[in-house]
Structures are given as C-alpha cells and as structure tokens.
Amino acid sequence: MQKILVRTSLLLVCVMVYSHVSYAAMLATRGEEADNGTFQTESSDVSSSSHGRCEQGERGLPGRDGLPGRDGRDGLIGPKGDAGPTGSIGPRGLTGEKGEPAASTKVAFSVTRTTYFGNFKETRKIPFTSAFANIGNHFNLASGTFTAPVNGFYYIVINIHKRADAPNAPFVFLKHNGKLVLSVDECCGDDPYDTASNSVVLKLNQGDDLWLELVEGRMFSVTVNKESTFSGFLLYEM
C-alpha cells in the first residue's frame, strides 16, 4: 500500500512540473511577440526532456479478488426427454423355501335355516334346512352335525341374527364331541334387529363331530332371507 502511495505522489509531481513548463513557454512566446522578439524567460530554457517526462514506475501488485456475485435465477424447465431404452432382464432370484403341502382333501360347508327354531324348555341341537356349500358331503343337515373326514386344522365361523318379531334373542353353543368350545349370544339390546358372530380354528381328528345347540327359552330367528349361518373348512391336514 505504501509503494502505491509513493508512486501516486511522483506522478502528481511530474504532472505539476510539466504544466508549469508549458505555461512558462506560452508566456514567453506571447512576450516575444509583444517586444519584437527581445523578451526571454528563464523557464523557456527548461528542456521538456529533463522536466516534462516521467519515467514508468514498477508494476503494482495484483488487487484482491472481488466478492462473489449473487446466484443467477433458475432457468425455464426444459421439455420432457424421450424415454430411455428398456433395460435388460435381471438375474434370476434365489429359489424360495419349500412351502407346506396343501390339503389334499377338499372339505368345506356353509349351512342355514329358512324357518324359525326354538323357544324350547330344554337345550337342543339345531338342524339346518339349506346348504350353500357341502364339499365332500360331510355335513348332515337333518342332525346339524359336521363330521371331520381327516385329521387337521379347521376354521369354523358362526353368525346369528335377531329379529324384532322373535319372542327371544338367539343364544347358541358350539359343541365338539359334546364339549363346549364357544358361544354366541345376541341379547340385552334395545335395537330390534342385530347380528352377532364368533369364529375359531380347531384341531379335529378324523371322525370328530361339531354341532350347534340352542339354549332353552331362546329363538334361532331365521326366515327365507337366511340371516343366520354355520360354516367351516379344512385349512390343512396333519
């Protein structure tokens, strides 16, 4: 910084000296014209080569970098490009583990009634009058009994419906060889129509029996609309 100030001062001195010499020469020229060429000035002898010329100084140091400019605005979104070529088929995946064998025996049933049943003084097995499906014919509609044809796990589901015109709401038991498995009770509600259900997965042996029982004093309320059902199917054999 100090070198720059020194060079600037020298340049100003050179400019001032040159200006003074030029001005003195002009005055001398005008004086000679006035005096018929007899007037001389001391400054007219000053050589422009000795006082009016400034030597070039040394090259200065580079200046510091300026501050970065602001980011420009985002350009317009270009048009969508063409779809690329379809890639090659990837390598074949690893072979999965061997699954469980499917049930070789097809077993399924789904039954209902089309008439009211109940309001008895004792608990009774519920017979059925219609079958949606009875694959393998292992369900006896008249006795309301399903007999397992093979050892395995079976899925069982029960749906019962209460109607406003029935004297009592339904309450049924699911029995397995005479032992209670679960129950479904649709009672103690103010709504005139309602539905209740229950389901279970059971391990049955070949020859085991399943049936529904209606509790005494209750009504299995069904009509031609087939509102209540008893269903099941074999998941897999053992």
Side-chain angles (χ1 to χ4, degrees):
M1 186 69 183
Q2 186 174 4
K3 289 182 179 181
I4 294 173
L5 291 175
V6 171
R7 291 170 183 160
T8 303
S9 299
L10 290 175
L11 181 59
L12 290 175
V13 170
C14 290
V15 172
M16 291 175 65
V17 170
Y18 180 77
S19 299
H20 175 73
V21 171
S22 298
Y23 182 71
M26 179 186 66
L27 290 179
T29 302
R30 290 181 179 179
E32 288 176 356
E33 292 177 355
D35 297 335
N36 297 320
T38 58
F39 178 78
Q40 295 289 333
T41 179
E42 294 178 358
S43 298
S44 61
D45 295 334
V46 178
S47 174
S48 61
S49 61
S50 60
H51 296 284
R53 182 183 300 171
C54 293
E55 296 181 358
Q56 183 177 357
E58 296 180 1
R59 185 180 183 86
L61 297 176
R64 295 182 179 179
D65 293 339
L67 297 176
R70 292 182 298 178
D71 292 339
R73 295 182 179 179
D74 293 339
L76 298 177
I77 298 175
K80 184 177 180 180
D82 297 332
T86 303
S88 58
I89 299 176
R92 185 181 182 87
L94 300 176
T95 303
E97 296 181 0
K98 186 177 180 179
E100 295 290 336
S104 58
T105 304
K106 299 183 188 308
V107 182
F109 69 91
S110 184
V111 297
T112 187
R113 287 187 60 87
T114 55
T115 58
Y116 280 82
F117 179 82
N119 204 23
F120 303 116
K121 294 181 180 180
E122 71 282 344
T123 297
R124 290 189 184 182
K125 290 177 66 175
I126 303 175
F128 292 87
T129 61
S130 177
F132 298 105
N134 190 10
I135 299 175
N137 294 317
H138 302 294
F139 193 95
N140 187 308
L141 291 174
S143 66
T145 303
F146 168 72
T147 302
V150 293
N151 298 340
F153 285 90
Y154 294 77
Y155 177 74
I156 308 297
V157 59
I158 305 161
N159 292 288
I160 58 174
H161 181 70
K162 179 184 75 173
R163 294 180 56 85
D165 55 356
N168 294 301
F171 183 18
V172 300
F173 295 140
L174 173 64
K175 293 292 187 73
H176 174 205
N177 292 339
K179 295 182 180 180
L180 176 65
V181 178
L182 54 80
S183 63
V184 187
D185 189 6
E186 178 50 73
C187 75
C188 311
D190 297 331
D191 48 338
Y193 297 93
D194 210 347
T195 301
S197 65
N198 208 341
S199 60
V200 65
V201 173
L202 290 176
K203 177 183 177 182
L204 301 179
N205 295 320
Q206 183 179 13
D208 284 357
D209 290 331
L210 291 178
W211 66 84
L212 297 182
E213 290 183 357
L214 181 66
V215 175
E216 69 274 7
R218 296 300 189 94
M219 179 68 71
F220 196 72
S221 52
V222 291
T223 66
V224 292
N225 295 322
K226 304 176 182 180
E227 297 92 347
S228 301
T229 59
F230 179 31
S231 307
F233 56 87
L234 174 63
L235 291 173
Y236 61 90
E237 296 182 42
M238 294 170 49

